[in-house]
Amino acid sequence: QIEPHDFVAEICDVICRFNNVLLDMDRDMWSYISLGYFKQKVIDGEIGSSTMPHKVNPIDFENSEGNIGLANSTLSHLSAKLPISRYQRDLSDSTVMRTLGTGFAYTKIAHNASIRGLSRVDCNEERMLEDLNNNWEVLAEPIQTVMRRYGKEAPYEALKALTRGKKVTGETMRKYISDLDLPEKDKEILLRLEPRTYTGNSSTMAEKKTVKEWLEV
């Protein structure tokens, strides 16, 4: 008695999954802006806060997050409701199908807000470098990797004892490297490393284009 709506349910599910990815990005960008990793361009005439006129809030990402919530609540209900019909003649589908455009509209508003938010951000390189240079413990990774190469005992545990829950300075890390029983050429390489210059094998990983290439790393 009614037209099956399975394809509509599938479309709603796909859009919800895409929106969830966007929601994750919105929240990450909000956090990065709060940490100062990204700066927002000031828009003349815009009000960032009703009580603090100096603030430049990430309102576009907040707008997107709110609209994704409204979109996904509508679309997820449609995807769960539409495949079900009493004896294939229940007409309650016509009631909920009227909200299909609402779900799409909230999605469109959210996407536009995210794009607008991304267009307003600039990388705050100075703040990122400050954070990197204050966290020398990230060099625990290359140090233990070199220690493993030469069969040193329990390198992970050794670096864990040095770094976990502690604030490690460049001086502390360099002294630790200097005291290691490693070939001088390897120690020289480690001593030249800084948090802002160490990237591991991320550049190699970034160049991989297929799952097979990733698995071969």
Side-chain angles (χ1 to χ4, degrees), residues 27-212:
R27 290 174 174 172
D28 282 349
M29 291 300 297
W30 190 98
S31 299
Y32 290 141
I33 290 169
S34 298
L35 290 170
Y37 293 165
F38 290 105
K39 298 180 291 186
Q40 295 188 102
K41 298 173 184 175
V42 176
I43 305 298
D44 289 339
E46 182 182 76
I47 297 175
S49 169
S50 59
T51 58
M52 293 176 280
H54 65 283
K55 291 194 73 177
V56 185
N57 284 327
I59 56 176
D60 292 310
F61 297 111
E62 294 171 342
N63 181 290
S64 177
E65 181 177 344
N67 279 286
I68 285 174
L70 292 168
N72 281 4
S73 63
T74 302
L75 296 173
S76 60
H77 176 67
L78 286 167
S79 70
K81 159 62 188 164
L82 291 175
I84 301 171
S85 176
R86 298 176 189 85
Y87 302 117
Q88 294 73 53
R89 57 190 302 118
D90 171 15
L91 299 181
S92 61
D93 64 317
S94 61
T95 300
V96 297
M97 280 290 285
R98 294 189 182 101
T99 66
L100 186 61
T102 302
F104 289 167
Y106 280 129
T107 295
K108 178 63 174 173
I109 293 170
H111 293 183
N112 287 345
S114 291
I115 292 170
R116 189 166 58 249
L118 289 172
S119 72
R120 292 184 55 185
V121 294
D122 282 326
C123 174
N124 188 349
E125 186 176 347
E126 183 179 341
R127 175 69 181 88
M128 291 183 182
L129 287 174
E130 176 190 357
D131 215 6
L132 276 172
N133 290 330
N134 286 331
N135 289 277
W136 282 79
E137 52 269 26
V138 300
L139 296 184
E141 181 182 65
I143 294 171
Q144 63 175 301
T145 300
V146 176
M147 291 172 70
R148 283 195 186 93
R149 182 193 301 170
Y150 291 101
K152 300 304 176 183
E153 184 178 354
Y156 176 85
E157 287 72 16
L159 269 298
K160 178 180 175 182
L162 176 70
T163 62
R164 192 174 190 207
K166 302 173 184 177
K167 195 64 180 175
V168 181
T169 65
E171 181 181 353
T172 303
M173 194 61 80
R174 290 190 179 103
K175 183 180 185 307
Y176 183 83
I177 294 169
S178 298
D179 292 341
L180 288 172
D181 182 20
L182 293 173
E184 287 301 319
K185 62 183 179 67
D186 291 285
K187 288 204 285 189
E188 287 175 9
I189 293 172
L190 291 174
L191 288 168
R192 286 199 298 268
L193 290 178
E194 296 180 16
R196 65 186 182 88
T197 59
Y198 174 68
T199 58
N201 68 340
S202 58
S203 59
T204 302
M205 297 290 285
E207 292 173 357
K208 303 300 178 184
K209 299 180 177 64
T210 66
V211 173
K212 181 179 179 182

